[in-house]
Amino acid sequence: MSIVDDLKGQISKNRIIFDKPELKDQLLGEDVTAELQALVHHLSILEKLRISSIIRAEGHHGVGRAFDIGNEEIAKTLLPKVATDPEVMQWKIDEIIFDASKSDSGYDRNKWNYDIGVKHKFDEATLNAHSDHIHFAVKAPAKPKKERALVRALRPQGHASPAVAAASPANAGGLMLLDFRTYPDNHVMPADFTLAGVGFESIGGVGRLMVNDTANDRGLQFDASGLRVVLRRPVNGLLLYAGGFAGAITVTALDSSGAVIHQQVVKPANVLLRILLNAPNMRTLEFTGGGGEGMLVEMVTPD
Ligand SMILES: [Zn+2]
């Protein structure tokens, strides 16, 4: 039995019901991740679920990784079983957001909440927006359902020369590779650092830069505020391996005067992609969007 068959079984037993018919199609379709389907199935064994939202424009909902449970009265029995570190790890949960004071006025409002797979205290506005439904999001897919073949087809290009990929930063044949896989997972980088003369900084100095494992790979993760990369000198072309995991990222290239000379949206989201940028005299790159989960894995530039 596939997970979709398992879900259909739960739907036929009314363990999962929907506020709108299209939500059923979304849950069983290709626009949600396998991890989301597995979590919904698991939760539906614990409690009867009424799904109130899956795909919509914002954040993790926009990339098929989040769903909302409309019968929030189950929180008091459901969440103590699910909002634990072992369960969060097992079911690849990224976010749980619910105002627990709605279950019991004596509870800490963040009692069951998680973000990026760790216990988290959301701010008041977020809690206020999560008093009538329980929001769940799962981690970025290990194997994106739709784009898996695309990743494989694209991957060999960046590793064409073993000499280039051998070390980091390495140079061979007039190219330089910067590869964030050489850092350990969860390694927090300074908000402003230099690698082989290339400057990396969080735009505005406010966001967090951190090496993180995503989608079976490892890269520099940047917050929604964005990442700025200042090259050693102007170049006319460079190769990136990057992606956004809570929305698409945009790459903007600027010349030495700060004028925008090229801009490109990296689509689809939820997958790492090779991007070849060609524009005269690119000196600075700005990576924006990605909903707080933009990733830069590799960059190959002229040496
Ligand atoms: Zn939600």
Side-chain angles (χ1 to χ4, degrees), residues 158 164-171 175-179 181 298-301:
V164 173
S168 170
N171 51 62
L175 295 175
M176 178 175 74
L177 168 73
L178 289 163
D179 183 352
R181 298 184 190 90
E298 280 183 9
M299 186 170 74
V300 179
T301 65

Side-chain angles (χ1 to χ4, degrees), residues 56 61 66-68 130 133 135:
R56 61 175 195 264
H61 285 278
F67 60 97
D68 296 333
H130 291 82
H133 67 278
H135 167 97

Side-chain angles (χ1 to χ4, degrees), residues 73-124:
E73 61 274 13
I74 65 174
K76 201 168 185 174
T77 48
L78 177 71
L79 292 181
K81 298 176 199 156
V82 179
T84 67
D85 288 346
E87 284 278 308
V88 163
M89 184 175 292
Q90 177 176 353
W91 296 99
K92 300 185 172 63
I93 293 170
D94 185 319
E95 300 168 343
I96 302 175
I97 313 177
F98 180 64
D99 177 359
S101 72
K102 294 292 162 182
S103 288
D104 184 318
S105 59
Y107 284 169
D108 176 343
R109 298 180 80 188
N110 279 297
K111 180 179 174 68
W112 295 303
N113 288 340
Y114 276 78
D115 188 24
I116 324 179
V118 294
K119 279 200 167 293
H120 186 81
K121 290 190 186 303
F122 288 97
D123 61 25
E124 194 167 338

